[in-house]
Amino acid sequence: MGAHEMSMRFIENPDFPIQKLTEKSEKEKGPGRPPYWEMVFWWTRKPLIGARGVIAGSLLPYDIDVGRFKTMVGLNEKTPHRVNPRIPPEWEKYFRGKKFLDPFAGFGSIPLEGLRLNLNVTAIELLPTAYVFLKAVLDYPKKFGKQLVKDVEKWGNWITEQLKNDPEIRELYDDDVAVYIGTWEVKCPHGDHWTPIVGNWWLARVKDKKGYKRLAYMRPKKNRENREKIEIEVVDLNEIVGDVSKAKVDTKAGRIIFEDKNIVEKIKQMIENGELEKDIVKIEGNKVTFEVPRPNIEARRSQITCLHCGNLIKYVDEEGNHYLAKPKKGNKKDFDFYVKWALKKYHEGDEKFARQRLLVRVKIIDKELVFETCNDEDNTKLEKAKESIKKRLENKDPDVPSEPIPPYGSIGGGLRFMPYGYGINKWYMLFNPRQLLTLIRIVRLIREAGKKIEEEKLKEGWDKEKAFEYAEAVAAYLSIVLINLIRHNAVVNHWEAASWQPVRHILAMRGIVMAWNWCDVVPYNQDSLVSYQYFNKKTIHGVEYLISALAPSGQKTLTNFTRSSTMRVLQGDATSLNLGEKFDVIVTDPPYADDVAYTELSDFYYVWLKRVLSDSDGRKLVPRFYKNAFFKEIKIGSKSIFREISTQWQEFAKKEISAQAGRFYKQAQKNHYEIAQKHFEDLFSQAFISMREHLKDDGLLVTYYAHTDPASWANLLEAGWHRAKLQITKACLLYTSDAADDMQCVDLGGRRII
């Protein structure tokens, strides 16, 4: 074997089992997902087996046995990520004491596998939100082990019980309800009445291989006693028909068809007995048709249909005058979509033109969804929290997330923040008053739990520093539970009728979009689809998995060697690393131009994490946990003061390696796209130069990269090859996403020239 081959690594060998890694990675992104992924949503999470194989292959010699490699990383297992690597004793020297770096650590998949391979791992992230998540994924499970599970469960249950017994919170909900489905109403300019805005009338459209299991929908109905009021009626076909498995459903036309003479006779009898209104159903021979109403909003066409008078509602000028036709050019007046104008007024404090309304209550009885029409009392409960929130806003309560939402959310790049155009320009406006009041209460309960945990550990004889860090760890997991609840409980989430888990979270679309069927959940309902306790269980399962993966206290431990790795999580900038050491291998997943606006979108998490992991003196937030993540230390002589970091987008947006053009719109409206692209290219290159400077002479740099734009691949070559002077030795495809077209190329570069 020549010196050339001796200098290369197994990952550069043509026999490296990339196809097998891809197959196992694809399965891992499906039903076999790692449980810790369910702790909280993050936009990119690399399959663990792919990361494990890439890291191990980057450290092992070129000519090792392929079969032994597959056994070591677990490629012969059904679900490899559930098994820790089995490193043969004679291969331990290739891992023991080796230094690993991921400067774009994200949600921690890559560094987690570095730890499982017994490397001394350094994981870095720019954003405070990601930094907290990395500590929860990588640091605390390894450091504290099984006791975390016990205390996260204990204090999560304590928070649920406190909520359940809180008189102010209890009066806002009905205990037997799991979820309320609500929407916005606007005052019709054609008459003095309110019309709901409904984007989807379906309540349930769930099927399995045998056919439909659950079919239900809403329909509007004028109140016979009060003609100015639109009632909402629930049409539950499981109650009416019984077995709905043979239904033919045309979702585009909104038709549900049964072709069965027994059903026809049953429907006729129900109409005759007054159990079913005639106008709900159409009968033709042996065919019964139910018609689901069409949405009465078409936002792209800037119009809604009033459910009272049937008239279109379209444009409004600044004085509130309504227009059906698009104004002619040259008209000096400002015109807006009526719904946008009405909601802007609402968020400015003028509620004469828009308001929130609950439509349907969802119960869970014997594990089945039961739908009921909301009544006036339900909507009165929704309103009860409003005065309390108004007082908090007037008093500038620091626990209300009043930080600004980025104003450039819908200008260029990949950031989509559509609610901004409807007057939602501060983070608290994403929640109705009842949701907001409940979430603030949970914030304060987690703070209280953190203090009680610290006191407990001190009484048990722990030293002050360790007791504080342990309380920080448990509080971090309880906070993750909270933000999981928050992303499912806002006025911009939506009800997904075709899903077994119908409450859909607000970040699923790589942006935050406007919704007209939002969900208001009961956070302490133990049977609920998305209660605090439900997400606490998800977090516990995730922590159990991570503890097992990192093998503390003898769990799935192979040798003492397996437990000797070290972990360092840092908040830092990949473009200007100054770590004072060099690494044997760097494996990372750098940003892809304008793919995800991490800084702005994860601010949805940040404004809550900052509150729950800090403290409050009633006027302002004060540092407690993660002091340097949420506050800037300013030295004044021998003293230090801490200034709160308001939002990530204000502090970090232009430090992030990204081509989000909206960030530069104010700076240069005409060429903000070009400025953003140049910004991305420069920072991207600086990051590769910084990584090269931290790579040992015989080290290897591996980067994941996926993009459909050829120019982005040119950026990778420019940054890694031309500017950082790295030599590309191999590129291969590795599955990393649920989408088949989102396969990633793994590029290898070493400081040596091969």
Side-chain angles (χ1 to χ4, degrees):
M1 184 179 298
H4 172 71
E5 286 190 340
M6 287 292 289
S7 67
M8 297 180 75
R9 309 290 168 77
F10 181 54
I11 196 171
E12 298 167 293
N13 190 319
D15 293 332
F16 180 71
I18 191 67
Q19 184 59 39
K20 191 70 174 177
L21 282 173
T22 289
E23 291 171 7
K24 292 295 185 180
S25 294
E26 185 173 3
K27 288 182 179 178
E28 186 177 318
K29 292 291 269 191
R33 295 155 63 91
Y36 86 94
W37 283 8
E38 308 306 319
M39 284 168 48
V40 68
F41 172 80
W42 195 252
W43 292 266
T44 54
R45 292 167 291 189
K46 297 293 169 283
L48 299 183
I49 182 56
R52 182 187 301 181
V54 166
I55 296 169
S58 300
L59 288 165
L60 289 166
Y62 183 87
D63 59 345
I64 63 165
D65 180 81
V66 177
R68 296 189 74 194
F69 176 82
K70 289 179 180 179
T71 300
M72 186 195 86
V73 299
L75 278 174
N76 299 322
E77 302 285 341
K78 183 178 179 181
T79 310
H81 73 79
R82 294 189 180 277
V83 178
N84 281 338
R86 297 176 174 85
I87 303 174
E90 63 271 27
W91 286 3
E92 289 183 2
K93 61 184 177 182
Y94 300 113
F95 299 94
R96 188 193 303 273
K98 293 294 190 294
K99 294 181 178 181
F100 169 93
L101 171 67
D102 183 354
F104 299 102
F107 199 62
S109 294
I110 298 173
L112 175 62
E113 289 302 321
L115 280 175
R116 294 171 92 168
L117 287 164
N118 195 47
L119 306 178
N120 295 328
V121 172
T122 299
I124 299 174
E125 258 298 339
L126 175 67
L127 301 178
T129 298
Y131 172 67
V132 172
F133 294 163
L134 282 177
K135 293 281 282 185
V137 170
L138 302 173
D139 196 6
Y140 301 138
K142 181 175 174 59
K143 190 171 291 182
F144 295 115
K146 292 180 181 179
Q147 58 190 324
L148 279 174
V149 175
K150 178 182 175 182
D151 278 329
V152 172
E153 182 175 21
K154 170 186 172 182
W155 290 102
N157 291 339
W158 178 82
I159 288 167
T160 296
E161 287 302 311
Q162 293 297 309
L163 271 181
K164 193 186 299 184
N165 297 319
D166 187 308
E168 184 180 20
I169 300 300
R170 283 290 294 272
E171 71 174 1
L172 299 178
Y173 304 95
D174 283 349
D175 289 347
D176 60 344
V177 177
V179 181
Y180 297 86
I181 301 173
T183 189
W184 292 91
E185 287 187 319
V186 296
K187 181 68 72 71
C188 177
H190 300 286
D192 190 25
H193 44 247
W194 293 90
T195 180
I197 304 171
V198 181
N200 192 342
W201 294 92
W202 284 98
L203 292 173
R205 196 176 68 248
V206 182
K207 64 188 301 187
D208 59 17
K209 294 178 181 179
K210 296 181 180 179
Y212 285 94
K213 301 290 290 182
R214 196 78 176 83
L215 288 171
Y217 62 93
M218 303 176 281
R219 71 177 199 130
K221 180 180 176 184
K222 287 187 178 180
N223 189 302
R224 291 177 180 176
E225 297 177 1
N226 180 4
R227 299 294 291 177
E228 296 302 317
K229 185 175 181 181
I230 289 291
E231 298 284 4
I232 299 297
E233 182 178 10
V234 171
V235 181
D236 190 330
L237 295 184
N238 291 74
E239 289 186 1
I240 296 170
V241 174
D243 182 5
V244 296
S245 62
K246 304 300 182 184
K248 296 177 181 178
V249 179
D250 184 339
T251 54
K252 285 189 177 181
R255 293 192 184 95
I256 307 168
I257 301 170
F258 295 92
E259 295 179 315
D260 186 299
K261 64 179 181 180
N262 293 326
I263 291 177
V264 171
E265 291 304 316
K266 182 178 181 180
I267 296 298
K268 286 180 178 178
Q269 191 65 50
M270 291 179 73
I271 293 172
E272 187 177 326
N273 295 340
E275 300 170 349
L276 191 67
E277 292 187 32
K278 189 176 181 180
D279 63 343
I280 288 179
V281 63
K282 183 178 180 182
I283 302 174
E284 296 175 306
N286 285 331
K287 184 170 77 170
V288 173
T289 303
F290 292 86
E291 295 209 2
V292 182
R294 298 185 67 81
N296 71 322
I297 180 167
E298 295 179 79
R300 290 184 179 180
R301 298 178 65 185
S302 296
Q303 69 179 35
I304 66 169
T305 302
C306 176
L307 296 176
H308 282 275
C309 60
N311 286 315
L312 289 179
I313 304 172
K314 291 184 71 73
Y315 302 103
V316 65
D317 65 20
E318 51 210 13
E319 284 87 31
N321 301 307
H322 178 250
Y323 300 82
L324 282 174
K326 203 165 188 178
K328 293 180 180 179
K329 291 182 180 179
N331 193 322
K332 293 182 180 179
K333 289 184 178 180
D334 240 352
F335 293 89
D336 204 353
F337 177 28
Y338 183 88
V339 175
K340 285 188 175 182
W341 174 83
L343 266 64
K344 286 175 186 174
K345 289 287 186 184
Y346 175 91
H347 290 110
E348 291 167 2
D350 183 354
E351 299 181 19
K352 294 194 295 290
F353 306 98
R355 67 186 184 188
Q356 294 163 342
R357 177 180 170 183
L358 299 176
L359 305 176
V360 171
R361 41 202 279 158
V362 185
K363 298 180 179 179
I364 301 176
I365 300 176
D366 296 329
K367 297 184 179 180
E368 292 288 339
L369 298 183
V370 176
F371 304 102
E372 299 175 353
T373 301
C374 283
N375 53 34
D376 290 340
E377 186 181 348
D378 291 316
N379 280 289
T380 299
K381 288 185 176 184
L382 178 65
E383 290 286 309
K384 272 187 179 180
K386 192 172 287 184
E387 284 306 311
S388 178
I389 291 299
K390 281 183 179 178
K391 288 178 183 177
R392 291 173 188 270
L393 288 168
E394 288 168 2
N395 297 331
K396 297 184 178 179
D397 186 336
D399 287 339
V400 179
S402 301
E403 293 91 338
I405 286 169
Y408 50 82
S410 58
I411 304 170
L415 175 60
R416 295 188 301 160
F417 199 97
M418 302 311 174
Y420 198 91
Y422 293 84
I424 298 176
N425 54 34
K426 293 184 178 177
W427 288 104
Y428 76 86
M429 294 177 178
L430 291 169
F431 309 91
N432 70 44
R434 178 166 72 178
Q435 291 170 329
L436 193 56
L437 192 64
T438 305
L439 296 173
I440 290 170
R441 180 68 181 123
I442 298 174
V443 165
R444 295 178 176 179
L445 286 170
I446 297 174
R447 281 192 199 138
E448 187 179 348
K451 291 170 184 175
K452 289 177 178 289
I453 293 163
E454 186 177 10
E455 289 169 5
E456 275 188 1
K457 295 307 171 188
L458 289 171
K459 286 179 182 177
E460 290 174 13
W462 289 34
D463 67 65
K464 193 173 182 180
E465 184 178 340
K466 187 179 178 183
F468 179 85
E469 188 178 10
Y470 186 76
E472 177 185 77
V474 178
Y477 292 117
L478 297 176
S479 303
I480 285 172
V481 177
L482 172 64
I483 60 174
N484 236 338
L485 175 65
I486 287 169
R487 71 188 173 94
H488 288 84
N489 192 30
V491 294
V492 287
N493 63 2
H494 71 279
W495 180 264
E496 177 52 70
S499 174
W500 292 102
Q501 173 58 289
V503 182
R504 310 304 288 174
H505 71 92
I506 77 169
L507 297 173
M509 304 300 291
R510 297 199 175 190
I512 299 177
V513 299
M514 205 57 193
W516 306 107
N517 296 67
W518 40 260
C519 304
D520 186 345
V521 308
V522 181
Y524 57 79
N525 186 323
Q526 295 187 23
D527 295 322
S528 179
L529 303 167
V530 288
S531 66
Y532 188 88
Q533 190 173 52
Y534 172 84
F535 288 120
N536 199 54
K537 289 177 181 176
K538 292 272 188 184
T539 300
I540 290 166
H541 293 155
V543 175
E544 287 174 333
Y545 174 86
L546 291 167
I547 291 168
S548 174
L550 298 176
S553 307
Q555 282 199 23
K556 292 191 178 180
T557 304
L558 302 171
T559 64
N560 288 332
F561 165 78
T562 315
R563 299 196 299 271
S564 65
S565 58
T566 62
M567 180 68 243
R568 184 169 56 155
V569 176
L570 302 174
Q571 187 187 349
D573 188 342
T575 66
S576 56
L577 299 174
N578 186 20
L579 302 175
E581 60 180 320
K582 294 195 175 185
F583 296 84
D584 298 279
V585 64
I586 300 174
V587 181
T588 195
D589 178 25
Y592 312 137
D594 63 354
D595 185 44
V596 178
Y598 291 99
T599 302
E600 291 88 351
L601 290 177
S602 66
D603 255 342
F604 177 75
Y605 294 153
Y606 174 82
V607 295
W608 291 101
L609 286 174
K610 178 176 60 173
R611 281 166 172 77
V612 75
L613 294 170
S614 301
D615 211 335
S616 169
D617 63 8
R619 296 176 297 106
K620 64 182 185 304
L621 296 178
V622 294
R624 180 159 167 74
F625 301 130
Y626 297 95
K627 178 168 59 179
N628 293 319
F630 304 126
F631 295 83
K632 263 192 171 181
E633 185 176 6
I634 301 170
K635 295 279 187 180
I636 302 177
S638 59
K639 294 183 178 180
S640 291
I641 62 170
F642 289 88
R643 178 181 65 81
E644 180 188 335
I645 297 172
S646 177
T647 63
Q648 293 181 142
W649 73 266
Q650 290 168 308
E651 187 74 21
F652 300 104
K654 291 189 179 179
K655 295 179 183 178
E656 185 181 52
I657 303 173
S658 178
Q660 300 295 330
R663 296 172 183 169
F664 300 91
Y665 186 75
K666 191 175 181 180
Q667 177 181 334
Q669 294 183 21
K670 291 184 178 179
N671 62 338
H672 58 291
Y673 282 98
E674 290 81 0
I675 293 173
Q677 184 60 33
K678 180 68 165 54
H679 174 81
F680 168 71
E681 291 170 5
D682 288 343
L683 293 189
F684 198 57
S685 293
Q686 288 175 31
F688 271 83
I689 292 169
S690 184
M691 286 189 282
R692 180 206 65 198
E693 291 172 348
H694 285 79
L695 192 63
K696 291 182 178 180
D697 288 341
D698 61 345
L700 201 63
L701 166 63
V702 184
T703 64
Y704 288 74
Y705 206 70
H707 215 289
T708 56
D709 183 4
S712 294
W713 289 95
N715 290 337
L716 181 63
L717 290 172
E718 172 69 15
W721 190 9
H722 184 255
R723 296 205 191 181
K725 309 300 181 187
L726 293 165
Q727 179 71 32
I728 298 174
T729 62
K730 187 177 180 181
C732 48
L733 289 176
L734 178 66
Y735 186 99
T736 62
S737 174
D738 297 314
D741 61 350
D742 201 10
M743 302 212 21
Q744 301 219 1
C745 189
V746 179
D747 301 283
L748 314 176
R751 293 200 65 179
R752 62 201 186 282
I753 302 296
I754 298 177

